[in-house]
Amino acid sequence: MAEAAVPTILFTVTWLTRRDLDLALMVSIGAALVLLVVRLVQRSTVQFVVNALLGIGIGWFFVQRSAASGGSEQDQALAYFLPGLLYNGGYAVVLAFTCLIGWPLVGFMVGSITGDATAWHSDKQIVRLCNRLTWMLVAPCVLRVIIQAPIWLAGSSGSMDPDAAVAALGVLKIVLGWPLQLAALGSMVWLLSRNRTPVEPDASPA
């Protein structure tokens, strides 16, 4: 959670206090690189730091695109948060689609564990359970978009002060990030731990 939050906090604070977008990006990247070195020294997983760096890199690309199209520095700062909105929206659509067509994504995760990618689909009760679990993954993504998209649009259109929009998006990206994801995963664990996993009984022997 810290590895995801620290670069975003530093980007937001640096931009709001110094009004220097390049500096904000460099501070954000520098913080992520420091965290990466710490992980390497500890010989622990660098997955989450790399994810943070990837997110910063994509944000930087959107900032550059905004600059190339003549966007103001406020527009560029807002562009940094656009990839997260697009990712969550796209992820929610894909996951919801797999539920609507009756092949929920969580089912394939089950299949990867059992060694048969599609055997779970023959049991309607398992399909129903995987549907519920997949919708639990959809919920955080939808919530992020519902809350953050109006702020981003308001900041971009000028109906809200751009700096206030950047500050709000920075805070919300942290609050609605790992904490919300952990809440969703906790709900999934709770559902599975109720000891009512619906599995159709094997057919009785003839």
Side-chain angles (χ1 to χ4, degrees):
M1 291 174 63
E3 289 162 354
V6 169
T8 299
I9 292 172
L10 291 177
F11 172 86
T12 305
V13 171
T14 304
W15 161 249
L16 293 175
T17 56
R18 301 296 298 274
R19 301 302 181 94
D20 188 330
L21 190 58
D22 289 336
L23 177 62
L25 286 167
M26 286 190 292
V27 168
S28 180
I29 294 171
L33 290 175
V34 169
L35 291 170
L36 178 61
V37 170
V38 171
R39 282 292 191 177
L40 290 172
V41 171
Q42 294 176 338
R43 295 185 179 180
S44 55
T45 178
V46 299
Q47 175 186 347
F48 300 107
V49 183
V50 171
N51 288 345
L53 281 169
L54 181 61
I56 294 170
I58 295 173
W60 175 84
F61 174 77
F62 274 70
V63 168
Q64 295 304 309
R65 294 298 301 168
S66 175
S69 63
S72 65
E73 282 206 327
Q74 285 88 351
D75 292 331
Q76 294 172 43
L78 285 168
Y80 179 80
F81 295 95
L82 182 57
L85 284 171
L86 296 177
Y87 171 81
N88 278 282
Y91 194 64
V93 168
V94 170
L95 288 179
F97 180 72
T98 66
C99 290
L100 294 174
I101 64 174
W103 286 86
L105 185 65
V106 170
F108 293 99
M109 298 178 185
V110 173
S112 68
I113 295 172
T114 61
D116 190 326
T118 58
W120 58 273
H121 198 262
S122 61
D123 190 317
K124 293 181 180 178
Q125 297 284 17
I126 293 295
V127 173
R128 187 175 296 115
L129 174 64
C130 291
N131 241 354
R132 294 173 185 169
L133 294 171
T134 303
W135 281 116
M136 287 180 176
L137 291 177
V138 172
C141 297
V142 172
L143 188 60
R144 291 181 190 119
V145 173
I146 288 175
I147 295 176
Q148 295 180 79
I151 297 173
W152 189 90
L153 291 171
S156 297
S157 65
S159 58
M160 178 180 181
D161 179 64
D163 287 342
V166 169
L169 290 170
V171 171
L172 288 171
K173 186 172 182 178
I174 296 165
V175 173
L176 300 178
W178 274 108
L180 191 58
Q181 196 66 30
L182 289 174
L185 294 174
S187 299
M188 295 171 71
V189 171
W190 171 80
L191 179 61
L192 291 170
S193 66
R194 293 170 63 197
N195 200 27
R196 290 195 205 166
T197 304
V199 180
E200 291 182 350
D202 292 334
S204 24

